[in-house]
Amino acid sequence: MAADLGPRAMFVAGGTDLFPKLKRRQFEIDTLIGLDFLSREIHNGSAQWVVGAGVTLAAASNDPHLKESVAGYAEAAGLVSSPPLRNAGTVGGNLCVDTRCNYYDMTYEWRKAAGFCMKKDGDICLVAPSSPRCWAVSSSDTAPMAIALDGVVGLTGPEGERELPVSVLYRDDGIDYMAKQPSEVVTSVTLAADPRTRTAYVKLRRRGSIDFPIAGAAVAIQLDGDEVVRCRIVLSAVASHPLEATAAEEFLKGKRLTDETIRETADIAAKPARPLDNADLAHFWRKRMVRVVVEDALVRASTRTASSKVKLLG
Ligand SMILES: Cc1cc2nc3c(=O)[nH]c(=O)nc-3n(C[C@H](O)[C@H](O)[C@H](O)COP(=O)(O)OP(=O)(O)OC[C@H]3O[C@@H](n4cnc5c(N)ncnc54)[C@H](O)[C@@H]3O)c2cc1C
Ligand code: SF4
């Protein structure tokens, strides 16, 4: 159906992001393709968790096995929006959620009065008028954590089934932000569950009860004693895609985890983050807060005990 109807149709899972956008006429389509058939199961194979794309965020955040084995992922799912939206919103929908911008996430009337932008109905960027591209912000909470956990999505489309690392599921483009084909459905996300890995997700937002992230850090570290043998740090809400802080990861590898190395790592991680004036609160303050969320996430992950067991659920 999706391939036949092209841009006239969209998939809908929980509808928590899509329905408000349809009301604001950010998408103009004539068909919704329901994804109710997607798996709502969480199960594990050898050293990995397979989370069905139809699993709700509430279920993922409360699952005792995910909480123990990949705590940062359960944490990220539990910090998305608010409890009613987590009861309906899905893991697959969260990975595919639209990029955000203060000039775009507005009613049709507001956008018309301000002047449309290139993401919908217009031809310039209102945040960076001389820019040829859209800088809308990747605002998924679970995508950075899935990348930090070497996540892989299952995709099904007209050409069949395939797998894609979550790290290459996104493009650095506020409009065309997903690298999958529009007619491909995300059916699952598989997360590495190495018992030595400690994880944490820290999110900054105005209201803890509901808001999207304005900065966030997903961290997965493996320690040998107090030496870091592996480290992934992925930032949310500071670019049009989840931003991996590769220089900081390299810096921390092989070092002892001390207050000083954590602070230095956080400083390096914050460097590539370039928030623009298109999300909540002042962008120069958001930039300064990136190092704070990274530091916080590293401390949380390091003080968390490594997951002791990965149970076989079948
Ligand atoms: C007030 C409010 C606050 C919010 N706060 C947050 C927040 O803090 N963090 C956050 O990450 N999100 C937030 N959201 C957005 C949204 O609730 C979540 O991202 C949610 O996980 C989306 O999942 P869904 O199943 O409802 O997706 P839907 O709304 O059904 O779909 C979202 C998009 O993904 C596509 N899609 C859905 N499932 C699939 C699939 N399996 N395969 C391919 N495409 C798919 C849809 O076509 C659509 O483009 C918020 C939304 C609101 C209204
Ligand atoms: S970044 Fe620019 S083009 Fe993109 S949604 Fe915002 S104003 Fe529009």
Side-chain angles (χ1 to χ4, degrees):
M1 277 181 79
D4 288 347
L5 293 168
R8 286 170 46 207
M10 286 182 83
F11 296 122
V12 61
T16 60
D17 200 63
L18 188 56
F19 292 154
K21 295 206 162 189
L22 291 175
K23 287 186 197 164
R24 296 192 293 254
R25 284 191 268 171
Q26 287 165 270
F27 301 118
E28 289 168 85
I29 51 170
D30 55 38
T31 308
L32 283 171
I33 303 173
L35 297 178
D36 267 3
F37 55 83
L38 289 175
S39 163
R40 293 182 178 217
E41 286 183 8
I42 300 169
H43 56 97
N44 83 329
S46 56
Q48 63 186 24
W49 288 100
V50 184
V51 185
V55 170
T56 64
L57 295 160
S61 64
N62 291 321
D63 184 87
H65 306 291
L66 292 186
K67 277 166 93 167
E68 178 173 345
S69 174
V70 283
Y73 182 80
E75 205 162 43
L79 287 170
V80 173
S81 56
S82 66
L85 298 184
R86 288 197 294 276
N87 285 337
T90 62
V91 158
N94 193 247
L95 287 174
C96 299
V97 70
D98 195 10
T99 52
R100 293 181 60 77
C101 171
N102 279 351
Y103 293 90
Y104 165 70
D105 289 291
M106 290 292 182
T107 62
Y108 177 83
E109 290 72 21
W110 189 100
R111 287 184 288 122
K112 188 175 177 193
F116 295 114
C117 76
M118 69 170 84
K119 188 155 160 78
K120 181 75 179 92
D121 298 325
D123 47 22
I124 60 156
C125 172
L126 300 174
V127 183
S130 56
S131 168
R133 60 162 284 187
C134 164
W135 296 91
V137 182
S138 167
S139 302
S140 165
D141 282 302
T142 64
M145 201 65 239
I147 295 171
L149 285 164
D150 300 328
V152 172
V153 284
L155 295 171
T156 300
E159 311 287 315
E161 295 179 11
R162 66 180 178 128
E163 291 191 330
L164 200 65
V166 185
S167 58
V168 294
L169 184 61
Y170 303 100
R171 289 203 180 102
D172 186 11
D173 182 336
I175 297 173
D176 202 6
Y177 61 94
M178 297 217 71
K180 73 173 186 65
Q181 295 302 315
S183 54
E184 281 181 310
V185 177
V186 173
T187 54
S188 64
V189 58
T190 301
L191 307 167
D194 188 314
R196 294 164 303 174
T197 302
R198 303 160 189 224
T199 56
Y201 180 70
V202 171
K203 167 175 179 173
L204 180 70
R205 53 179 163 176
R206 188 190 287 262
R207 298 168 296 181
S209 54
I210 192 161
D211 284 327
F212 278 89
I214 50 174
V219 160
I221 45 173
Q222 275 174 27
L223 295 175
D224 181 6
D226 61 356
E227 186 186 311
V228 178
V229 288
R230 193 160 186 269
C231 162
R232 300 288 297 267
I233 302 171
V234 189
L235 308 176
S236 40
V238 294
S240 294
H241 61 107
L243 188 65
E244 185 153 5
T246 44
E249 293 170 349
E250 276 306 309
F251 171 80
L252 193 58
K253 218 163 88 186
K255 296 215 168 47
R256 285 184 53 236
L257 211 52
T258 62
D259 289 351
E260 201 183 330
T261 51
I262 288 179
R263 261 198 307 275
E264 277 182 71
T265 307
D267 280 341
I268 299 169
K271 278 192 184 134
R274 308 222 186 295
L276 293 180
D277 194 12
N278 60 350
D280 196 12
L281 301 173
H283 62 298
F284 50 83
W285 183 76
R286 292 200 327 266
K287 166 85 184 167
R288 280 172 48 198
M289 290 306 287
V290 175
R291 60 159 302 284
V292 179
V293 289
V294 174
E295 185 176 341
D296 201 6
L298 284 166
V299 171
R300 280 174 72 96
S302 62
T303 51
R304 205 162 245 170
T305 49
S307 73
S308 52
K309 46 194 178 262
V310 177
K311 296 188 192 81
L312 264 176
L313 299 180

